[in-house]
Amino acid sequence: MSTITAAITAVGGYVPDYVLTNEILETMMDTSDEWITTRTGIKERRILKDSDKGTSYLAIKAAEDLLKKSNTDPKDIDMVIMATATPDMPVAATGVYVATQIGAVNAFSFDLVAACSSFLFGMSTAAKYIESGKYKKVLLLGADKMSSIIDYEDRTTCIIFGDGGGAVLFEPNTEGYGVQDEYLRTDGIGRPHLKIDAGGSLLPASAETVANKQHYVFQDGKTVFKFAVSNMADVCERVLNRNDIKGDDVQWLVPHQANKRIIDAAAKRMNLPKEKVMMNIHKYGNTTSATLPLCLYDYESQLKKGDKLVFAAFGGGFTWGAVYLTWAYDPK
Ligand code: UT7
């Protein structure tokens, strides 16, 4: 019996039309294009302006793009994993709604919540279902409407985040392509440093929590930055070492897009030139669960069968890790 590996066989993506540039932010608060660009690498981000649309809208658009491009019948999908930090509602999983809306009527679905590592952890989860042999098509979605939880008077966080959605399809592969290895980590030490205080069971919503702005993201940027730089680089190096591959052997680093300086540090540790690093932070900012699939969406036409890709992420919690995957198809 041949071993089944879990390969990515299709990619989709979506970002909203509205572009929030650094120049517009300059008119809203005390900041500058120069500060944002040098500290983060971000020039602009996309914002879903419609107040009647949530994260599901971004996920549905990305999924529909994938279905159309790959000519996939949604009825053939077995499972939909919705990676997100901004579900439409606290109860009634967003993925369930998305699956029904896209016509994946034979699938079961759930949301996977691990801050900026949600999609990476979703890759691991999707791969396990495929490797079991019981599931043939697993749709992994990563989408976040970060603008719904950001305080646009807080210059330390609002400059970073944007809205977007991405989608990948996992299918069994018998040639050995797909997920090869992973190293995933969490540490609750991170909880005070990147969080939303209110709206959960610990501090339910009240007039007071709203007045105190406790439903917005709080981030101790400096601390998160420190942990992100060392941990993201560490997991990349570990995955290379234990698979006996070197930076030269890797075609692409697919890093979470939180800060260009964090990405540069991981690439440096892996000995990778910038030509091998997927980067779109300048145009989307940090879209949380959507950063990794949006990288694939932007770079898909450059990927070749057999390319070695290392995915890496770091996020609140803390949550972080790396996945090593070989690409399963040439540009279509
Ligand atoms: O994806 C989830 C994980 N998140 C991350 O990985 C984010 C990690 N953190 C970061 O990317 C960086 O820490 C930030 C981009 C958030 C901030 O950059 P920093 O170099 O760590 O700046 P800082 O917070 O140390 O602030 C330096 C100075 C401060 O002024 P003083 O106290 O030195 O006078 C801030 O008040 O920059 C000031 N500042 C700003 N100035 C202009 C903070 N935000 C801004 C701003 N514009 N938007």
Side-chain angles (χ1 to χ4, degrees), residues 177-190:
Y177 296 114
V179 174
Q180 307 294 316
D181 194 16
E182 65 183 31
Y183 183 64
L184 308 181
R185 304 286 299 130
T186 60
D187 190 340
I189 195 178

Side-chain angles (χ1 to χ4, degrees), residues 155-172:
R155 67 176 184 171
T156 67
T157 54
C158 76
I159 52 122
I160 304 169
F161 293 100
D163 302 337
V168 301
L169 187 65
F170 278 91
E171 292 186 88

Side-chain angles (χ1 to χ4, degrees), residues 30-31 35 39-40 116 155-156 159-160 194 219 221-222 224-225 228 256 258-259 261-262 286 314-315:
D30 180 15
T31 191
W35 192 95
R39 300 278 176 140
T40 70
C116 291
R155 67 176 184 171
T156 67
I159 52 122
I160 304 169
L194 179 45
Q219 176 174 247
K222 249 194 184 0
V224 177
F225 184 87
H256 173 52
N259 187 316
R261 290 184 290 147
I262 299 173
N286 180 353
F314 185 90

